[in-house]
Amino acid sequence: MISRITALFVFTGLLLINTPVLAQDYGHEEIHQEEEHVEHNAHAEPNLHGDHADTHDSQGDDSDIKSVVKETIEHHLADSYEFHVTEGVSFPLPVILLDDGLKIFSSSKFDHGHSIAEANGSYYVMHHNKVYKTDANGSLNFDKHDHPINPRPLDFSITKNVFMILVMAVFMVVLFGRMAKSYGPNKTPKKAGRFLEPIVIYVRDEIAIPNIGEKHYKRYMSYLLTVFFFIWFLNLVGMTPLGINVTGNIAITFSLALITFIITQVSGKRDYWMHIFWMPGVPVVLKPVMAVIELIGLFVKPFSLMIRLYANMLAGHVVLMSIIGLIFVFGSWLVSPAFFGLTLVLSLLELLVAALQAYIFTMLAALYFGSAVEEHDHH
Amino acid sequence: MDKLINDFSVGLFFWQTLVFVTLIFVLRKFAWKPILEAVNEREASIKGALKQAEKARQEMESLQASNEAILKEAREERERILKEARDMKNNIVSEAKETAAVETEKTVAVAKAAIEAEKAAAVAELKNQAAVLSIEVAEKVLGQELSAENKQTAMISKMIDEVKIN
Amino acid sequence: MEIPEIVGAGLIVIGAGLGIGRIGGSAMEAIARQPEATAKIQTAMLIAAALIEGIGFAALFAK
């Protein structure tokens, strides 16, 4: 009970600092942008006339704040080659490129995308958080959609997200390893284990056993528990103001869905494949049609698993940060508290979603495993 | 779809898969297995303890039941014995009463018979005596005053008066 | 006239919202009728809602 309350306090605290830190980011960039804007106006003034110039001005100002908000949101959601803690505090992460051999260098060489990184005679530039191969001058060629057409090296860099995954993996091994060791002779956990054990038992009794069945569930427990805590913890970390968005990343959810898909197919029993390719209890004419539908369903299931987690987490982040951004779009002391309150309430909702998405992912994975190992007897 | 493919990072996918699969195996060895085993063991021991408690309770109940049965039996036995004793007493008393009555009757009968006999004997004796006396009287009368008839009669009646039974 | 993408997205959201709303409403009724089955109903509700949500997202990202 005490751990629960502590956890609640910790997360509420994180929520409370979330908003001001993001606000600080916005504030900084806003001022920066405004300065630039003023400069720009000074240059442009001679060419413009009277009223027209004024309306243009105000419109331009408005859309600039909006674009800053948009940019900041995108920046917070995107992966990056450095770990940005708060304004002005960030540390570089290693860049690992597979391009004519392995090239490893610190991301500080990019100087936040302002300079060309050189490694073993190859030149790379960073454009919109992506690494492109270039020449010594750092020239980038763009297509008509403003996308660079320079080749991209195979990129295995330890980016912010990879870094977070590693941190989370170490954290989970330490946390659950310690929990496993804390079981004394009377088989009760201590400290954090007291909070985590009911969740472990919940995953076993409410997710694994009802969906997979008493007979087979033990084989899948490791995967289900790992995936549940992995997603949940990373979702929660995403609620911190560090701008971490691991689970709202398509590569991550694709990997999780792929692993689930592989486990499902590998553990598929005779009945499972029968149900896909030769559905029993259906007229023979319809069997091939059903097979096609089932075959599509086979791939739709992991696809929806992937999209659901990705979109939910991404949408949560976007909505939260958009509302914080609205504070600066309106820029009024009258509406700001309202948006602050709205952010707080939505943050609480996101806390629920963080757990709910982990639960649903685990639940559906268990459901798919269950359908794979199920044994029917209707013959 | 374009956005998804554009956002997809091979490197991130590679690291995620590698780290996650490793994490599953590491956690399975160092965390999930010992945790689930400990939980299972604990649950089994709790279940065992509960079962044992249930068994003990049942035993207690059966013991109580048997105790009660024994008590009931004992009570019945006592009742039975008491009843028997009472019956026996009643029997004895009634028998004794009967015997006493019979005896009394017998005694009375014997006494009556004896009295009868005595009475008969006495009457017989009396008759004999009376006869003897009569003869004596008759002899005397005959000897002295057998001349006058009235004297004879007077004498006889006088003599009979003298020998009045008791 | 070309229909803007955002209209399609809106239609998807309306459809998915109606679907999930129906599931939620029915689940509430079911819970009110059988409060002892709350856990089971909630699980079924979440799964059904998640499936609709998955299709909704798939449609949103399909363009």
Side-chain angles (χ1 to χ4, degrees):
Chain A
M1 194 60 207
I2 288 162
S3 340
R4 275 173 217 205
I5 291 166
T6 322
L8 198 68
F9 271 117
V10 168
F11 288 123
T12 321
L14 286 174
L15 292 181
L16 287 172
I17 53 172
N18 199 351
T19 320
V21 170
L22 282 175
Q24 179 196 354
D25 282 6
Y26 279 131
H28 180 88
E29 282 180 45
E30 186 190 356
I31 293 159
H32 187 68
Q33 204 72 22
E34 264 177 7
E35 276 167 10
E36 257 180 43
H37 196 72
V38 168
E39 249 174 68
H40 179 76
N41 274 351
H43 287 296
E45 214 159 16
N47 300 330
L48 300 161
H49 313 285
D51 292 343
H52 186 249
D54 280 340
T55 43
H56 184 267
D57 237 354
S58 62
Q59 270 174 0
D61 196 37
D62 207 30
S63 68
D64 268 358
I65 293 175
K66 277 182 191 163
S67 69
V68 168
V69 166
K70 203 169 166 233
E71 225 165 79
T72 315
I73 291 173
E74 273 169 12
H75 171 76
H76 268 264
L77 294 178
D79 203 356
S80 90
Y81 289 92
E82 54 183 15
F83 200 100
H84 180 93
V85 182
T86 178
E87 197 53 45
V89 182
S90 62
F91 51 91
L93 293 164
V95 177
I96 303 166
L97 302 174
L98 199 63
D99 180 37
D100 284 340
L102 210 58
K103 308 235 159 93
I104 303 170
F105 55 91
S106 163
S107 72
S108 58
K109 273 197 181 179
F110 286 125
D111 191 21
H112 310 290
H114 297 309
S115 64
I116 309 151
E118 187 266 332
N120 300 348
S122 301
Y123 298 91
Y124 302 98
V125 289
M126 196 167 78
H127 179 77
H128 279 289
N129 256 326
K130 274 175 187 161
V131 173
Y132 296 92
K133 197 173 170 150
T134 180
D135 52 20
N137 299 323
S139 56
L140 277 174
N141 304 313
F142 296 94
D143 64 6
K144 58 180 185 238
H145 298 296
D146 263 355
H147 294 305
I149 50 169
N150 290 44
R152 292 188 58 199
L154 263 181
D155 187 351
F156 292 104
S157 306
I158 307 294
T159 57
K160 188 171 74 177
N161 284 346
V162 177
F163 178 73
M164 268 328 291
I165 293 166
L166 289 168
V167 168
M168 186 49 70
V170 172
F171 172 71
M172 278 174 74
V173 169
V174 171
L175 182 70
F176 292 107
R178 280 172 62 104
M179 178 185 165
K181 282 215 181 73
S182 78
Y183 279 86
N186 56 352
K187 305 293 173 202
T188 45
K190 284 175 193 69
K191 291 174 186 169
R194 290 197 186 154
F195 170 65
L196 294 168
E197 200 205 67
I199 304 171
V200 172
I201 293 177
Y202 181 84
V203 170
R204 187 192 64 178
D205 290 351
E206 306 295 326
I207 296 178
I209 293 178
N211 289 311
I212 303 174
E214 196 82 53
K215 202 170 145 196
H216 300 286
Y217 85 95
K218 277 193 178 127
R219 273 194 292 158
Y220 302 99
M221 276 312 284
S222 296
Y223 172 75
L224 293 176
L225 285 169
T226 313
V227 87
F228 178 81
F229 284 108
F230 187 78
I231 296 175
W232 188 35
F233 286 165
L234 278 174
N235 286 349
L236 288 178
V237 171
M239 298 296 297
T240 61
L242 293 172
I244 296 155
N245 180 34
V246 182
T247 39
N249 200 301
I250 195 72
I252 304 285
T253 58
F254 176 72
S255 165
L256 291 172
L258 185 71
I259 293 168
T260 311
F261 178 74
I262 290 170
I263 295 176
T264 312
Q265 308 321 320
V266 166
S267 52
K269 291 219 159 73
R270 195 178 146 272
D271 276 348
Y272 175 67
W273 296 112
M274 272 284 281
H275 261 255
I276 290 170
F277 291 113
W278 209 245
M279 178 74 93
V282 171
V284 181
V285 194
L286 277 177
K287 283 192 189 214
V289 183
M290 288 303 288
V292 171
I293 294 172
E294 286 286 324
L295 213 56
I296 294 170
L298 202 69
F299 296 101
V300 166
K301 281 171 186 171
F303 183 78
S304 71
L305 215 52
M306 165 181 91
I307 293 288
R308 182 178 306 109
L309 180 59
Y310 163 73
N312 263 296
M313 295 330 289
L314 194 72
H317 285 247
V318 169
V319 167
L320 269 185
M321 281 191 287
S322 302
I323 291 169
I324 297 170
L326 281 178
I327 297 175
F328 299 95
V329 171
F330 283 91
S332 149
W333 283 107
L334 285 171
V335 285
S336 294
F339 285 126
F340 184 85
L342 195 58
T343 313
L344 197 67
V345 172
L346 275 173
S347 297
L348 289 171
L349 187 74
E350 280 302 303
L351 266 189
L352 174 74
V353 170
L356 195 69
Q357 287 309 316
Y359 166 75
I360 285 180
F361 194 101
T362 320
M363 183 70 161
L364 289 173
L367 203 68
Y368 299 153
F369 298 159
S371 74
V373 296
E374 205 178 2
E375 277 150 5
H376 305 271
D377 39 24
H378 36 210
H379 303 300
Chain B
M1 211 51 145
D2 283 348
K3 183 176 156 40
L4 291 187
I5 293 164
N6 198 35
D7 278 353
F8 188 82
S9 154
V10 180
L12 189 55
F13 170 73
F14 166 78
W15 284 112
Q16 158 67 14
T17 312
L18 184 74
V19 172
F20 190 73
V21 171
T22 319
L23 188 66
I24 292 174
F25 285 104
V26 170
L27 281 181
R28 183 165 79 173
K29 189 165 187 316
F30 293 108
W32 305 135
K33 238 182 162 174
I35 288 173
L36 288 173
E37 263 166 25
V39 168
N40 277 344
E41 238 170 83
R42 195 183 62 208
E43 279 172 351
S45 79
I46 288 173
K47 219 179 262 176
L50 279 178
K51 212 179 261 176
Q52 225 149 13
E54 177 67 14
K55 220 173 118 191
R57 201 178 62 81
Q58 271 175 354
E59 251 166 48
M60 269 292 279
E61 241 164 50
S62 70
L63 214 67
Q64 234 163 9
S66 73
N67 268 358
E68 220 143 272
I70 288 169
L71 261 177
K72 204 178 158 202
E73 217 168 277
R75 218 174 289 133
E76 269 168 14
E77 181 81 16
R78 196 192 61 183
E79 285 291 302
R80 201 171 54 78
I81 289 170
L82 274 178
K83 195 169 171 263
E84 247 168 48
R86 216 177 296 130
D87 284 355
M88 205 182 273
K89 183 196 78 177
N90 287 348
N91 270 0
I92 289 169
V93 167
S94 61
E95 228 164 82
K97 268 183 187 163
E98 240 165 67
T99 326
V102 169
E103 283 298 309
T104 318
E105 240 163 68
K106 228 190 243 172
T107 318
V108 168
V110 168
K112 265 184 189 164
I115 290 167
E116 278 309 304
E118 287 292 312
K119 200 178 160 187
V123 169
E125 181 79 25
L126 196 66
K127 273 179 183 164
N128 278 352
Q129 291 244 328
V132 171
L133 277 175
S134 319
I135 290 165
E136 269 176 22
V137 166
E139 268 174 8
K140 273 176 191 169
V141 169
L142 284 174
Q144 289 173 4
E145 312 172 29
L146 266 177
S147 49
E149 204 179 295
N150 53 357
K151 271 187 184 172
Q152 281 177 5
T153 316
M155 198 170 190
I156 286 165
S157 57
K158 190 187 155 214
M159 293 191 85
I160 284 169
D161 275 347
E162 271 171 23
V163 279
K164 210 167 195 174
I165 308 151
N166 291 341
Chain C
M1 194 188 85
E2 205 176 310
I3 299 166
E5 277 166 10
I6 197 79
V7 176
L11 286 174
I12 294 164
V13 171
I14 289 173
L18 281 177
I20 294 176
R22 267 191 66 89
I23 292 168
S26 308
M28 289 294 160
E29 274 172 27
I31 290 171
R33 221 168 273 162
Q34 274 180 294
E36 68 279 0
T38 304
K40 274 187 179 176
I41 294 167
Q42 266 173 350
T43 311
M45 176 189 81
L46 282 176
I47 291 175
L51 291 174
I52 291 186
E53 197 187 41
I55 289 171
F57 280 134
L60 276 181
F61 283 100
K63 65 121 185 165

